[in-house]
Amino acid sequence: MSKYWNEEIECMSREDMKKLQSERLVTQVKHVYENVPYYKKLMDEKGVTPDDINGIEDLHKLPFLTKADLREAYPYGLLAKPLSDCVRIQSTSGTTGKRVVAFYTQNDIDIWENCCARAIVAAGGTKDDVCQVCYGYGLFTGGPGLNGGSHKVGCLTLPMSSGNTERQIQFMMDLKSTILCCTPSYAAYIGESLKEMGYKPEDNKLKAGIFGAEPWTEEMRREIEKSLGIKAYDIYGLTETSGPGVSFECEEQTGMHINEDHFIAEIIDPKTGEVLPEGSKGELVFTSITKEAFPLLRYRTRDICVLTREKCSCGRTLVKMSKPMGRSDDMMIIRGVNVFPSQIETVLIEQGYSPNYLIEVDRVNNTDTLDISVEMNAEQFSDTIKDIQKKEAELVAAIKTMLGINPKVHLVSPKSIARSEGKAVRVIDKRKLH
Ligand code: ADP
Ligand code: ZN
């Protein structure tokens, strides 16, 4: 069995890929211009017509689309196919505001599932695997996407959905699951629960995990790999571009290959909209060149990352994106300093804490406050109060070194911070509530 799902595409020469992307882009722009009045208006306002787009070198001429556009055009305003050709909707998790809906033709679903199949095969999946999918099913894209990909590969698929961790573990053990698909925070929770139930990492048959839908650090990856005894692969996507499988990690684990035959990626300066050269950090923008029902052009994801075309040892030539370490709107400005939750997570795990924490930001007497509650494990919890205070001071110092501002750190008892079965909520910014 090949180590690729679609070798021809995944290992295509740069030149051939550019040609394929150009052809598809030209067709797609026409399709959108003729069928989506909302986007036609944006193009008209910018003075661009489909005749101006002859290949990917012209991509920068097209207007951007933002989440605000999706909300304004909700629900049918960006639909490019008659409803009678659509077979499914999915919806965002609504992490950052009002949900948006996306539409799929049967062909869109097939393409999406094939993208997920590429991710499963890159993680070592074959038809002999037992693939336990505990992303949420329903409107959320995680469950349906990986479920479809797993079917395509021919794995025995366990459509568990999220939650009911004891039952997850029972099925995992009884049916000898070999691949686990869920959010990284839920994977960490399953690892923790297995340990509590007296299992050792080698007691399960898992070999790989495909974890995504939320930011997670390299430190968290190592924790999960250790607790489950697996290799953990990242997967990325968003509802607006179909769902998970826009990009996926290979065995090198140094970023995610973007399925460039379906999505053209650009990195822009989030402030000016200017396209940045390869290797620059900025906002990721996607143009879907094969989607029929909901084909977003130059969609601003608000995810911040870096693209690289360095040769990958896996043989794939698809461009790689770094882990998005948070969205531009996840970034908090605390006392004038830019803070991403992932920076705090890195420090906590480096210092030997579990990834169970809660960040609370507020404003008291016109000054921003940063309070971080961090869970101790049973062993840390058995320390004397004096020792715990010392540990809190050490954490404060380490976080100050990372961020340049002084937080308050509260070490709290084991299991006192709510676990997540889907996307974890790690930040409460009370300033937004005032
Ligand atoms: P919502 O925007 O409401 O959360 P989605 O469920 O469509 O809706 O989530 C897509 C977003 O999830 C992405 O834009 C990105 O911010 C985040 N995301 C998805 N996969 C990953 C990943 N592997 N690493 C980091 N963030 C991710
Ligand atoms: Zn690779």
PDB file of all heavy atoms in Angstrom, residues 248-255 257 311-318 320, ligand 2:
ATOM      1  N   PHE A 248      -2.622  18.857   6.416  1.00  0.00           N
ATOM      2  CA  PHE A 248      -2.413  17.705   7.301  1.00  0.00           C
ATOM      3  C   PHE A 248      -0.928  17.461   7.477  1.00  0.00           C
ATOM      4  O   PHE A 248      -0.129  17.802   6.602  1.00  0.00           O
ATOM      5  CB  PHE A 248      -3.069  16.451   6.702  1.00  0.00           C
ATOM      6  CG  PHE A 248      -2.509  16.086   5.352  1.00  0.00           C
ATOM      7  CD1 PHE A 248      -1.489  15.144   5.223  1.00  0.00           C
ATOM      8  CD2 PHE A 248      -2.977  16.717   4.208  1.00  0.00           C
ATOM      9  CE1 PHE A 248      -0.946  14.834   3.976  1.00  0.00           C
ATOM     10  CE2 PHE A 248      -2.432  16.413   2.954  1.00  0.00           C
ATOM     11  CZ  PHE A 248      -1.424  15.468   2.836  1.00  0.00           C
ATOM     12  N   GLU A 249      -0.588  16.831   8.567  1.00  0.00           N
ATOM     13  CA  GLU A 249       0.815  16.586   8.845  1.00  0.00           C
ATOM     14  C   GLU A 249       1.262  15.226   8.321  1.00  0.00           C
ATOM     15  O   GLU A 249       0.478  14.284   8.287  1.00  0.00           O
ATOM     16  CB  GLU A 249       1.043  16.633  10.363  1.00  0.00           C
ATOM     17  CG  GLU A 249       2.183  17.514  10.739  1.00  0.00           C
ATOM     18  CD  GLU A 249       2.282  17.728  12.242  1.00  0.00           C
ATOM     19  OE1 GLU A 249       1.733  16.932  13.022  1.00  0.00           O
ATOM     20  OE2 GLU A 249       2.931  18.703  12.619  1.00  0.00           O
ATOM     21  N   CYS A 250       2.544  15.158   7.949  1.00  0.00           N
ATOM     22  CA  CYS A 250       3.145  13.886   7.538  1.00  0.00           C
ATOM     23  C   CYS A 250       4.044  13.416   8.683  1.00  0.00           C
ATOM     24  O   CYS A 250       4.108  14.061   9.716  1.00  0.00           O
ATOM     25  CB  CYS A 250       3.968  14.091   6.277  1.00  0.00           C
ATOM     26  SG  CYS A 250       5.337  15.241   6.543  1.00  0.00           S
ATOM     27  N   GLU A 251       4.798  12.321   8.428  1.00  0.00           N
ATOM     28  CA  GLU A 251       5.599  11.754   9.519  1.00  0.00           C
ATOM     29  C   GLU A 251       6.700  12.697  10.003  1.00  0.00           C
ATOM     30  O   GLU A 251       7.212  12.536  11.095  1.00  0.00           O
ATOM     31  CB  GLU A 251       6.182  10.392   9.112  1.00  0.00           C
ATOM     32  CG  GLU A 251       7.296  10.421   8.065  1.00  0.00           C
ATOM     33  CD  GLU A 251       6.805  10.182   6.637  1.00  0.00           C
ATOM     34  OE1 GLU A 251       5.581  10.316   6.392  1.00  0.00           O
ATOM     35  OE2 GLU A 251       7.649   9.875   5.763  1.00  0.00           O
ATOM     36  N   GLU A 252       7.064  13.693   9.214  1.00  0.00           N
ATOM     37  CA  GLU A 252       8.116  14.617   9.652  1.00  0.00           C
ATOM     38  C   GLU A 252       7.648  15.537  10.782  1.00  0.00           C
ATOM     39  O   GLU A 252       8.464  16.064  11.537  1.00  0.00           O
ATOM     40  CB  GLU A 252       8.605  15.453   8.456  1.00  0.00           C
ATOM     41  CG  GLU A 252      10.050  15.850   8.593  1.00  0.00           C
ATOM     42  CD  GLU A 252      10.533  16.809   7.509  1.00  0.00           C
ATOM     43  OE1 GLU A 252      10.248  18.024   7.606  1.00  0.00           O
ATOM     44  OE2 GLU A 252      11.203  16.337   6.580  1.00  0.00           O
ATOM     45  N   GLN A 253       6.368  15.709  10.904  1.00  0.00           N
ATOM     46  CA  GLN A 253       5.757  16.517  11.976  1.00  0.00           C
ATOM     47  C   GLN A 253       6.340  17.917  12.090  1.00  0.00           C
ATOM     48  O   GLN A 253       6.603  18.402  13.177  1.00  0.00           O
ATOM     49  CB  GLN A 253       5.886  15.805  13.326  1.00  0.00           C
ATOM     50  CG  GLN A 253       5.074  14.517  13.421  1.00  0.00           C
ATOM     51  CD  GLN A 253       5.288  13.813  14.746  1.00  0.00           C
ATOM     52  OE1 GLN A 253       6.426  13.538  15.111  1.00  0.00           O
ATOM     53  NE2 GLN A 253       4.224  13.513  15.458  1.00  0.00           N
ATOM     54  N   THR A 254       6.575  18.547  10.940  1.00  0.00           N
ATOM     55  CA  THR A 254       7.130  19.909  10.980  1.00  0.00           C
ATOM     56  C   THR A 254       6.234  20.870  10.205  1.00  0.00           C
ATOM     57  O   THR A 254       6.723  21.696   9.452  1.00  0.00           O
ATOM     58  CB  THR A 254       8.538  19.944  10.352  1.00  0.00           C
ATOM     59  OG1 THR A 254       8.450  19.306   9.046  1.00  0.00           O
ATOM     60  CG2 THR A 254       9.557  19.235  11.188  1.00  0.00           C
ATOM     61  N   GLY A 255       4.955  20.730  10.371  1.00  0.00           N
ATOM     62  CA  GLY A 255       4.022  21.601   9.669  1.00  0.00           C
ATOM     63  C   GLY A 255       3.079  20.771   8.827  1.00  0.00           C
ATOM     64  O   GLY A 255       3.282  19.566   8.661  1.00  0.00           O
ATOM     65  N   HIS A 257       0.972  19.922   5.323  1.00  0.00           N
ATOM     66  CA  HIS A 257       0.917  20.069   3.870  1.00  0.00           C
ATOM     67  C   HIS A 257      -0.484  20.544   3.469  1.00  0.00           C
ATOM     68  O   HIS A 257      -1.483  19.926   3.851  1.00  0.00           O
ATOM     69  CB  HIS A 257       1.184  18.732   3.190  1.00  0.00           C
ATOM     70  CG  HIS A 257       2.611  18.270   3.302  1.00  0.00           C
ATOM     71  ND1 HIS A 257       3.622  18.846   2.587  1.00  0.00           N
ATOM     72  CD2 HIS A 257       3.188  17.287   4.050  1.00  0.00           C
ATOM     73  CE1 HIS A 257       4.765  18.233   2.878  1.00  0.00           C
ATOM     74  NE2 HIS A 257       4.528  17.285   3.773  1.00  0.00           N
ATOM     75  N   LYS A 311      12.040  21.427   1.151  1.00  0.00           N
ATOM     76  CA  LYS A 311      11.825  20.034   0.766  1.00  0.00           C
ATOM     77  C   LYS A 311      11.436  19.217   1.996  1.00  0.00           C
ATOM     78  O   LYS A 311      12.026  19.364   3.065  1.00  0.00           O
ATOM     79  CB  LYS A 311      13.144  19.507   0.190  1.00  0.00           C
ATOM     80  CG  LYS A 311      12.978  18.287  -0.648  1.00  0.00           C
ATOM     81  CD  LYS A 311      14.231  18.079  -1.507  1.00  0.00           C
ATOM     82  CE  LYS A 311      14.003  16.920  -2.426  1.00  0.00           C
ATOM     83  NZ  LYS A 311      14.451  15.663  -2.073  1.00  0.00           N
ATOM     84  N   CYS A 312      10.417  18.376   1.853  1.00  0.00           N
ATOM     85  CA  CYS A 312      10.004  17.562   3.000  1.00  0.00           C
ATOM     86  C   CYS A 312      10.452  16.121   2.780  1.00  0.00           C
ATOM     87  O   CYS A 312      10.348  15.587   1.676  1.00  0.00           O
ATOM     88  CB  CYS A 312       8.484  17.619   3.163  1.00  0.00           C
ATOM     89  SG  CYS A 312       7.943  16.871   4.706  1.00  0.00           S
ATOM     90  N   SER A 313      10.921  15.492   3.857  1.00  0.00           N
ATOM     91  CA  SER A 313      11.469  14.131   3.739  1.00  0.00           C
ATOM     92  C   SER A 313      10.407  13.102   3.357  1.00  0.00           C
ATOM     93  O   SER A 313      10.729  12.003   2.928  1.00  0.00           O
ATOM     94  CB  SER A 313      12.129  13.730   5.057  1.00  0.00           C
ATOM     95  OG  SER A 313      11.168  13.778   6.094  1.00  0.00           O
ATOM     96  N   CYS A 314       9.128  13.462   3.482  1.00  0.00           N
ATOM     97  CA  CYS A 314       8.073  12.498   3.150  1.00  0.00           C
ATOM     98  C   CYS A 314       7.873  12.370   1.643  1.00  0.00           C
ATOM     99  O   CYS A 314       7.177  11.469   1.183  1.00  0.00           O
ATOM    100  CB  CYS A 314       6.752  12.911   3.798  1.00  0.00           C
ATOM    101  SG  CYS A 314       5.955  14.297   2.964  1.00  0.00           S
ATOM    102  N   GLY A 315       8.460  13.302   0.882  1.00  0.00           N
ATOM    103  CA  GLY A 315       8.322  13.234  -0.573  1.00  0.00           C
ATOM    104  C   GLY A 315       7.194  14.098  -1.112  1.00  0.00           C
ATOM    105  O   GLY A 315       7.097  14.319  -2.313  1.00  0.00           O
ATOM    106  N   ARG A 316       6.333  14.590  -0.238  1.00  0.00           N
ATOM    107  CA  ARG A 316       5.255  15.461  -0.719  1.00  0.00           C
ATOM    108  C   ARG A 316       5.830  16.817  -1.106  1.00  0.00           C
ATOM    109  O   ARG A 316       6.736  17.319  -0.431  1.00  0.00           O
ATOM    110  CB  ARG A 316       4.169  15.634   0.365  1.00  0.00           C
ATOM    111  CG  ARG A 316       3.340  14.385   0.577  1.00  0.00           C
ATOM    112  CD  ARG A 316       2.291  14.563   1.676  1.00  0.00           C
ATOM    113  NE  ARG A 316       1.606  13.306   1.915  1.00  0.00           N
ATOM    114  CZ  ARG A 316       2.084  12.319   2.660  1.00  0.00           C
ATOM    115  NH1 ARG A 316       3.244  12.450   3.278  1.00  0.00           N
ATOM    116  NH2 ARG A 316       1.414  11.184   2.798  1.00  0.00           N
ATOM    117  N   THR A 317       5.258  17.391  -2.158  1.00  0.00           N
ATOM    118  CA  THR A 317       5.731  18.706  -2.596  1.00  0.00           C
ATOM    119  C   THR A 317       4.744  19.800  -2.219  1.00  0.00           C
ATOM    120  O   THR A 317       4.972  20.974  -2.472  1.00  0.00           O
ATOM    121  CB  THR A 317       5.903  18.704  -4.129  1.00  0.00           C
ATOM    122  OG1 THR A 317       4.706  18.158  -4.686  1.00  0.00           O
ATOM    123  CG2 THR A 317       7.097  17.874  -4.543  1.00  0.00           C
ATOM    124  N   LEU A 318       3.624  19.425  -1.618  1.00  0.00           N
ATOM    125  CA  LEU A 318       2.606  20.397  -1.211  1.00  0.00           C
ATOM    126  C   LEU A 318       3.204  21.363  -0.183  1.00  0.00           C
ATOM    127  O   LEU A 318       3.897  20.932   0.740  1.00  0.00           O
ATOM    128  CB  LEU A 318       1.410  19.665  -0.588  1.00  0.00           C
ATOM    129  CG  LEU A 318       0.693  18.642  -1.470  1.00  0.00           C
ATOM    130  CD1 LEU A 318      -0.304  17.828  -0.654  1.00  0.00           C
ATOM    131  CD2 LEU A 318      -0.010  19.339  -2.634  1.00  0.00           C
ATOM    132  N   LYS A 320       3.880  23.714   2.945  1.00  0.00           N
ATOM    133  CA  LYS A 320       3.546  23.434   4.349  1.00  0.00           C
ATOM    134  C   LYS A 320       3.240  24.715   5.108  1.00  0.00           C
ATOM    135  O   LYS A 320       3.884  25.739   4.898  1.00  0.00           O
ATOM    136  CB  LYS A 320       4.721  22.726   5.032  1.00  0.00           C
ATOM    137  CG  LYS A 320       4.741  21.253   4.705  1.00  0.00           C
ATOM    138  CD  LYS A 320       5.480  20.419   5.736  1.00  0.00           C
ATOM    139  CE  LYS A 320       6.935  20.646   5.738  1.00  0.00           C
ATOM    140  NZ  LYS A 320       7.686  19.538   6.375  1.00  0.00           N
TER     141      LYS A 320
HETATM  142 ZN    ZN B   2       5.956  15.919   4.514  1.00  0.00          ZN
END
